[in-house]
Structures are given as structure tokens and as C-alpha cells.
Amino acid sequence: MAKLVGYARFTSKKGDDYCVARVVKDFNKRALESGAVGQDVESIFMPREQYNLLKPADIGKELKFEYELSGGRAYLVHVSVVG
């Protein structure tokens, strides 16, 4: 899981709506072994059907991500706010 520290909604030039969650999480083992220190910060594009999921009151809460594998790649399919 990762801690939500912010999010941004925007419309692309093509007219598609997006929401990008900004999260902080612990570095994975590989990053730590390579000398990473502190925490990792990531921008995650929310699934389209969850464009309006995040609210200002969710800042500081944990997010749980669910992925599906397709063609050897992982795709984010669902996000849950925990807490």
C-alpha cells in the first residue's frame, strides 16, 4: 500500500479526463540494495472508471492497488482508499 499525498485531475488535448494520484511508499528491496534511502514518491494514473474516487479528505490515507496481468504486463484495474 501507499500513502496518498496529493492528486491532480486534468483533461488531455484529446478531451480525455485523467486523475493522477501522488503517493509515498517504502522503497522495494531492490532499490534499497542499490542504495536508495528514505521513501519513494510515485505518480499513478487512476483507472478511468475511478476518475472521481479521490476526495480532499483522503489525503494522508492509504491506497490499495489491484492489478491484472495481460500479455506479460501488469495493469492497474482498481484502487481502494483504506482508513
Side-chain angles (χ1 to χ4, degrees), residues 1-3 23-42:
M1 285 196 286
K3 182 178 179 179
V23 299
V24 174
K25 61 182 188 167
D26 293 333
F27 280 110
N28 63 31
K29 183 178 177 181
R30 181 177 176 192
L32 291 171
E33 290 172 352
S34 296
V37 178
Q39 291 185 301
D40 196 7
V41 179
E42 213 174 322

Side-chain angles (χ1 to χ4, degrees), residues 3-51:
K3 182 178 179 179
L4 180 67
V5 294
Y7 62 90
R9 291 189 178 107
F10 63 93
T11 302
S12 72
K13 291 179 182 177
K14 293 182 179 180
D16 296 322
D17 292 327
Y18 293 98
C19 180
V20 179
R22 304 308 202 291
V23 299
V24 174
K25 61 182 188 167
D26 293 333
F27 280 110
N28 63 31
K29 183 178 177 181
R30 181 177 176 192
L32 291 171
E33 290 172 352
S34 296
V37 178
Q39 291 185 301
D40 196 7
V41 179
E42 213 174 322
S43 295
I44 298 175
F45 279 80
M46 300 288 289
R48 284 182 196 245
E49 58 276 0
Q50 292 190 289
Y51 173 80

Side-chain angles (χ1 to χ4, degrees), residues 69-80:
L69 291 175
S70 178
R73 292 190 60 185
Y75 293 92
L76 180 63
V77 294
H78 187 77
V79 178
S80 302

Side-chain angles (χ1 to χ4, degrees), residues 59-79:
I59 301 298
K61 293 182 180 177
E62 297 289 322
L63 297 183
K64 179 180 177 185
F65 304 108
E66 295 176 33
Y67 293 88
E68 282 184 359
L69 291 175
S70 178
R73 292 190 60 185
Y75 293 92
L76 180 63
V77 294
H78 187 77
V79 178

